[in-house]
Every structure is written in structure tokens, then in C-alpha cells.
Amino acid sequence: MQIILQKVLPVFFEDDKVNNSQLWNSTLSFNKGENIHIIAPSGSGKTTLIHFLYGLRNDYKGNISYDSNDIKHFDAEKFSIWRRQHISIVFQDLRLFTEQTVLQNLEIKRMLSPFHAVNNIAAMAERLGIKSKLTKVCKTCSYGEQQRIAIIRALQQPFDFLLLDEPFSHLDELNRQKAMELMEEESKKRNATIILADLREITYFKSERTLHL
Amino acid sequence: MPSYKNIAPFLSAGQNNISRWLSYIGLGVGVLLLLSSIQMFININELLKDKNSRKDGADFISVTKTITNENMGKDNRFTEADLAEIKSLPFITDAAPLISNQFRVKASAGNIIPFSTDLFLESLDEKFLDTVPPSFTWREGQADVPIIFSSDFMEMYNVFAPSQDLPQLSDKTMSSVSIILECYTPYGVQNFKARIVALSDRINSVLVPNTFMQWANKNFGGVSQVNPSRIYIKTTDANSPQLLSFLEKKDYRVNKDKTKFGRVKQILQAIVSGLAGFGVLVILLAMLLFSFYLQLMIAKSKDNLQLLLTLGYSPDWLSKTVAKKWIPVYVIIVLSALLLTAILQFCFQHFVMYDREELSPFLHWIVVVVAAVLLVLSIITNYKLVRKLLYRLG
């Protein structure tokens, strides 16, 4: 799979934000297998870009295509197919089912298009130090724990692209590295691309390309 | 793929139970009302079907002009234009005049039955007669005249015969009695031998063949064209509202017995149709209430449903899975209503109608078909509503 951006620019952006950007208003493509690191200060449209790429918003000029399919023409049904098989995400605002248990949060994603067996959930949770939280209601977990739940959830499905929007903002250094390691490992299993957007450079993320937004 | 059980915890279905149960009960009551009304409608049709007087699925009715104080003394016979108008009406299949004799006729039964009376004769198109024996023909020069006699007249005769010292007659004997018809002509009395060849349940008259009537009217009465005082109409439904209102408008008089059932049937069917309409209304209200419940449930679970869609759940799959949850509920509701209607029908036939044969104790197939259609419609409506609400989220 390939994601192609052609002169993408949010409709609500002022011109001065665009001038120094390596992404906005440019034409570029992200190919399967090469990791992309997007570095951007606050307010430069990091989350907006990730949402554009995932198809949650379409208030932009230009085109974004999955392979040669312009996603502006996708309906909810078509998006659901791509999201089940080709593209996964860790949201900055996590988007978990707060009233359900951690396990329910992970299982609801896993059973949709299972990449792992159910017992792998516990193994991943153990690696990221949240195994004891699996039976707890999600809203009782700390933000850092919830961030790790969101990361594990994103790894339950097959994907060509893994979109990460500031995935470590509430994690300490050790947990960041563990989480990155797990994600890179899972990405390799699928020969997939990680597109990581963060405020600053993540040194332990092995990326082929770094782009400043 | 996951099942409804997997996504159920993500939907806040447990709340707002009252409106959900109210809508279930409403739907059940509505379906019961509709099904029993349809069954009752069919029952009324079965019970009030007038099986005897119909021929080829048609009713034959005698029509005269109503005689009032105002039109007394005037010519109240039907003109050719009246007849043409009646024939042209869509709810009247055919019409024919009853031609009466234009000369004086006297009948006597000879020496066996010492009885003599002035008589009237009529003739009618054979298509309108219920019994036409092959002998009911007359040719010029024939001395015998066949007669079709009204069963009612026969009954009347047998009622007053004993008081007049006359013998009562059976149907068979009646046909063997020879009657002498004395026709008064301008040249004197001409006698014919008459014989009753059939009795008619339908026509209250003394009928002779058309050929005889025409010949006699021309030769004895001196008229060849006679306007009839009454006509017979053939209609597929003697109880049709259009026919009744036409007759009323024209001030035509009919045998009320013929249309009495029709009026009762019309009123009963109107009541039952009203009930069925009310049933449909209750069903619609219940569906509306249920749609409010669904909207509320989906609104309350909006964030979770939206997140499921964001995570890659297909809106089509979600709609089908959520909608499927109510299929057993609808099946139970409609089947219960159907069962209750069947019990009501059985009780009606057994306890109210005392096992009358013309009424079946079981449900009519139309009721079962309506129940099936209602079930399918409820399921489809529910699915479409859920789908619409979910696609709005996506």
C-alpha cells in the first residue's frame, strides 16, 4: 500500500504556517516498509494531518490517496475496510471505551480482524507493564496506562501503515522505549510503515525519512 | 466477525426500559386488533353470505316505482329511457321488464277445485328466471299455456284454502291441476288450458311465456308496446352502496329483504374496518415509540458507536447486527398476537356461534399472511431505522 499526498492544505490554515513546511502543500508519497518521522511544534497541524491521513476529516484542499483511491470519495463502509486491513492508529486523545475493561477495549479491536491470538494480548500487556490492569475498568487507569492500552489496541490488527499521534506524551523514558520497541517489532512482522508525529525527535525511532511540518 | 454479544456492552440498551416495554405492548395490542378485525371481517362475510337466492354469483331484485300520495293516479310505469339508464349502470349486470297482461283474465280450476278468481299474468325474459322447464314455451295456435307460479302464492293458497273448504295442494299436485284461463277479448271470452310447470322462489308473480303475452296483449288488449310497472335487475352485489343510493335517489322500491343483510353487513364491516384502522394506528404509534427508544439508545451510545466505526467496524455490519437483536422480539410479539387471535376465533365459533358449520374455528389464511407481512415489515422498518441512525454517525 502507498499513501500519496498531493498539495494537501487545511482549508482553515494561514499562509505563514505553510511556508516552512515540508508536508503542507507538497506532493509526496509514503511507501510501505519505510518509517516516517514527522516533527512539529504545537499548533502546526500534527493531529490534523494524522486525522486527514486516517480519513476522520476532509476539510483540506488537495488530495490524499490510498494507492490510487482518493479518500475524499470514500464512504463510511469503504473506510471501514481499509481501517480493518491496512491502516491502524494511536490517537493523541487515545479514544478508548472508558466504561469498559481494558481487556474489552483490546478484544473489541482484536476480534474485528484478528492478527494475534487472544493470549497475545496478555503477553503484550505484560511487556508494557499493564497486565494487572486488564480486568480493570479503563477510566480507572492512569493516562499513561491508557496510552499503553491504546498502543496495544493498535497492534491487534493487520496493517500496512501505523499512524502514531504523540503516542508517548504521558510515558516515562523507559516505557516509551519499550512501547517503541514493541511497535517496531509488530510493524516488521507486517512489513509495515510507522508514521510517527511528535513534538520533538524520538531518537530511538528508526525512521527512513524525517519531515518537519 | 464479532457478534451482537460482543458489542452489546458498548450500547446503553438497559436504560429507558419503560418506553421499550410500552412499545412492545403497543405493537402486540395493535397487531392483535388488526388480525382479529380481519378475521372478524371474514367471519361476517361468511355468516351473512346469502347462498340461496344467488345464481351465477348474482342477485336478482324486483324494482318498482314507489307509490306516494303525490304520484298516485299518475303513470308510474318504467319508460324505455328508465330501463336504458338502469342497464347502463356499472353495478347492474342486466335488467328486464316484467310485461303484464293488458286484458282481463280469470282463472278457474274446473270442478275438482271450485275456485275462480280474477288473475294477473306477467312475462319476463327467461334469463331472469330461476327455474325454466323445457315445457315453458308457447306458439300461436297452442291451446295450452304453461305457467310458472310463485312459491309464495302457493303458500298463501295453502294457508287460506282450508277456511274456504278448498283442498290444500302439494307442489306435485299443483302441477297436475288444470286451470282454465278465461281471456276477455273484444270479441268475447277465449279459454286456454293452463298448467303450472314450475314454482319460482325468486319471482312473485304468475308467469307465462313471452310469446303468449305479446300475442295476447296485441290480439286481446290491442297494444303491442307495454311500459312495465316493474323490472328485474341482475347485479353482482345487491348490497353495493352505489346500487342502494341509486335506488334511493330515483325513489325506486325494492324488496327490502334482499338488501337488509347488505345494510347489516355494511354497518358491521364498517365497525370492524374502523377497528382494523385503529389497530393500524396503534401499530404505527408503537413503531414510533420504538423508533424514539432506538434513537435515544443510539444517541446515548453515540460516542461508543462512533468509536467502533472509527476503529474499523462496518456501519452496514453494525446496523444488521444491532437490528437483528430485535428479530426474536418481533417474532414473539406477532406470534403471540396470532395465537391469541386463533384462540379468540375458536372461542367465537364455539361459544358465541355454537359451532355453526359455515364458520371455521380456525384462522383464515389471509390473517396468517397479514401476520407474516407485518412481521417482515417490522423487521425491515427497524433495520432501516437503525441503519439510517448509524450512517448518520459514520
Side-chain angles (χ1 to χ4, degrees):
Chain A
M1 182 190 169
Q2 191 182 37
I3 298 179
I4 301 157
L5 287 81
Q6 286 174 304
K7 302 266 178 195
V8 174
L9 190 63
V11 289
F12 49 85
F13 253 31
E14 300 100 26
D15 287 346
D16 60 319
K17 279 189 177 175
V18 179
N19 293 338
N20 300 320
S21 172
Q22 292 178 302
L23 256 151
W24 295 133
N25 215 19
S26 306
T27 296
L28 55 150
S29 62
F30 303 142
N31 298 310
K32 193 181 167 183
E34 55 158 0
N35 288 344
I36 313 287
H37 194 353
I38 297 166
I39 301 167
S42 299
S44 54
K46 224 174 348 13
T47 299
T48 306
L49 175 71
I50 295 291
H51 285 188
F52 286 169
L53 292 177
Y54 195 63
L56 291 183
R57 291 174 61 169
N58 62 4
D59 46 347
Y60 56 85
K61 294 178 219 162
N63 303 98
I64 297 172
S65 312
Y66 293 169
D67 291 334
S68 51
N69 308 297
D70 188 344
I71 64 169
K72 260 193 186 166
H73 301 131
F74 281 15
D75 58 8
E77 197 59 46
K78 204 157 186 187
F79 267 122
S80 76
I81 299 168
W82 286 87
R83 288 172 189 168
R84 277 202 302 273
Q85 298 297 333
H86 302 289
I87 189 157
S88 191
I89 191 166
V90 177
F91 292 106
Q92 189 188 25
D93 56 358
L94 308 180
R95 303 201 182 188
L96 298 169
F97 298 101
T98 50
E99 299 296 326
Q100 268 63 49
T101 66
V102 173
L103 192 61
Q104 278 178 318
N105 266 278
L106 299 173
E107 190 56 12
I108 196 75
K109 179 67 173 168
R110 192 198 68 81
M111 62 175 61
L112 184 60
S113 44
F115 186 81
H116 289 295
V118 67
N119 50 6
N120 274 24
I121 288 180
M124 284 186 192
E126 187 161 25
R127 272 183 73 173
L128 298 193
I130 55 163
K131 195 183 174 192
S132 61
K133 301 286 174 186
L134 283 176
T135 51
K136 298 279 184 294
V137 175
C138 206
K139 67 180 176 191
T140 63
C141 298
S142 73
Y143 206 84
E145 284 161 347
Q146 290 189 18
Q147 210 155 33
R148 281 173 276 173
I149 297 164
I151 289 169
I152 297 173
R153 181 178 70 181
L155 302 176
Q156 298 309 311
Q157 65 166 94
F159 57 79
D160 298 324
F161 282 85
L162 176 61
L163 308 178
L164 307 175
D165 187 7
E166 291 190 53
F168 314 127
S169 54
H170 286 75
L171 297 182
D172 57 42
E173 200 57 25
L174 183 66
N175 275 314
R176 286 177 178 215
Q177 286 187 30
K178 278 186 190 169
M180 194 70 246
E181 205 174 277
L182 179 65
M183 286 192 284
E184 282 185 328
E185 208 178 292
E186 288 295 322
S187 171
K188 266 203 188 107
K189 281 183 193 165
R190 298 159 172 89
N191 189 29
T193 292
I194 295 176
I195 298 178
L196 188 150
D198 214 308
L199 293 166
R200 62 189 82 83
E201 193 179 352
I202 308 287
T203 49
Y204 39 84
F205 173 50
K206 301 173 201 81
S207 62
E208 273 76 24
R209 263 200 285 176
T210 301
L211 298 165
H212 291 267
L213 199 62
Chain B
M1 259 325 233
S3 64
Y4 180 78
K5 211 175 102 190
N6 301 115
I7 58 163
F10 299 85
L11 308 172
S12 34
Q15 291 148 35
N16 207 28
N17 267 332
I18 292 175
S19 73
R20 183 161 55 111
W21 279 104
L22 273 180
S23 66
Y24 290 167
I25 293 167
L27 189 65
V29 171
V31 173
L32 178 65
L33 260 177
L34 183 64
L35 296 184
S36 21
S37 306
I38 294 170
Q39 182 60 55
M40 211 34 92
F41 197 93
I42 295 164
N43 287 350
I44 291 167
N45 255 346
E46 290 295 315
L47 287 171
L48 298 187
K49 203 184 272 174
D50 191 2
K51 284 170 190 149
N52 301 327
S53 68
R54 290 168 79 87
K55 188 183 177 189
D56 310 328
D59 286 313
F60 293 86
I61 312 169
S62 152
V63 180
T64 55
K65 286 191 176 176
T66 310
I67 308 297
T68 61
N69 284 344
E70 285 71 38
N71 67 15
M72 251 167 60
K74 291 179 189 165
D75 186 359
N76 287 312
R77 288 179 295 186
F78 289 93
T79 62
E80 270 186 47
D82 289 336
L83 191 62
E85 186 195 9
I86 290 170
K87 275 185 175 175
S88 70
L89 296 169
F91 40 85
I92 290 174
T93 319
D94 204 358
L98 269 153
I99 308 291
S100 58
N101 53 312
Q102 303 298 308
F103 50 92
R104 189 178 165 205
V105 181
K106 230 173 148 184
S108 61
N111 297 329
I112 306 164
I113 309 168
F115 167 71
S116 165
T117 179
D118 265 16
L119 195 65
F120 68 94
L121 300 173
E122 282 181 304
S123 74
L124 177 66
D125 192 327
E126 282 183 9
K127 283 186 291 183
F128 286 77
L129 302 181
D130 46 352
T131 41
V132 189
S135 55
F136 191 65
T137 53
W138 186 87
R139 273 192 207 154
E140 199 174 333
Q142 195 176 315
D144 289 354
V145 180
I147 283 178
I148 294 178
F149 202 61
S150 161
S151 307
D152 288 347
F153 292 174
M154 169 85 177
E155 197 183 319
M156 273 162 57
Y157 167 80
N158 276 332
V159 166
F160 81 80
S163 64
Q164 301 298 315
D165 289 332
L166 294 169
Q168 284 183 313
L169 299 171
S170 71
D171 289 3
K172 274 191 180 166
T173 328
M174 191 67 154
S175 62
S176 60
V177 173
S178 56
I179 301 162
I180 297 167
L181 282 184
E182 295 171 22
C183 301
Y184 289 75
T185 76
Y187 328 103
V189 178
Q190 188 169 340
N191 287 348
F192 288 90
K193 267 196 231 165
R195 206 158 45 82
I196 294 170
V197 291
L199 292 171
S200 171
D201 286 333
R202 185 186 294 161
I203 294 153
N204 283 337
S205 186
V206 182
L207 295 171
V208 292
N210 253 329
T211 42
F212 175 77
M213 185 60 83
Q214 272 166 14
W215 176 84
N217 273 347
K218 194 177 165 192
N219 290 290
F220 306 155
V223 279
S224 50
Q225 188 66 39
V226 184
N227 279 341
S229 296
R230 63 171 173 162
I231 52 171
Y232 250 83
I233 58 168
K234 182 182 177 186
T235 172
T236 46
D237 185 7
N239 306 308
S240 119
Q242 294 110 305
L243 175 65
L244 294 182
S245 64
F246 168 77
L247 295 175
E248 225 158 85
K249 196 181 101 197
K250 299 294 276 188
D251 236 349
Y252 289 165
R253 189 188 172 92
V254 293
N255 184 350
K256 286 279 194 306
D257 254 11
K258 286 266 185 189
T259 52
K260 190 175 70 185
F261 264 171
R263 287 174 199 281
V264 173
K265 203 156 114 181
Q266 268 173 2
I267 293 164
L268 281 177
Q269 284 185 341
I271 293 170
V272 172
S273 304
L275 268 180
F278 185 65
V280 171
L281 194 72
V282 173
I283 291 174
L284 287 177
L285 283 174
M287 293 297 274
L288 197 69
L289 189 64
F290 190 70
S291 87
F292 288 151
Y293 160 74
L294 267 184
Q295 284 181 40
L296 199 67
M297 186 199 84
I298 287 175
K300 276 186 175 171
S301 319
K302 189 182 160 198
D303 291 344
N304 280 1
L305 284 166
Q306 229 157 14
L307 185 50
L308 285 173
L309 293 174
T310 307
L311 292 179
Y313 275 82
S314 134
D316 185 52
W317 178 86
L318 263 182
S319 332
K320 280 183 185 149
T321 313
V322 172
K324 249 190 242 168
K325 193 215 160 191
W326 280 283
I327 292 180
V329 177
Y330 284 127
V331 170
I332 290 169
I333 290 173
V334 174
L335 279 186
S336 311
L338 193 66
L339 187 72
L340 220 55
T341 312
I343 294 170
L344 283 176
Q345 173 66 6
F346 182 80
C347 293
F348 178 72
Q349 200 266 352
H350 189 64
F351 297 113
V352 183
M353 288 290 135
Y354 302 107
D355 299 327
R356 274 175 70 162
E357 269 176 22
E358 62 265 47
L359 198 66
S360 163
F362 305 112
L363 288 179
H364 195 269
W365 62 268
I366 289 178
V367 178
V368 181
V369 170
V370 169
V373 169
L374 277 178
L375 181 62
V376 172
L377 275 181
S378 321
I379 291 169
I380 292 175
T381 313
N382 184 43
Y383 166 66
K384 290 215 161 171
L385 184 67
V386 172
R387 192 180 160 86
K388 195 176 137 197
L389 292 169
L390 277 175
Y391 268 80
R392 226 183 262 165
L393 292 178

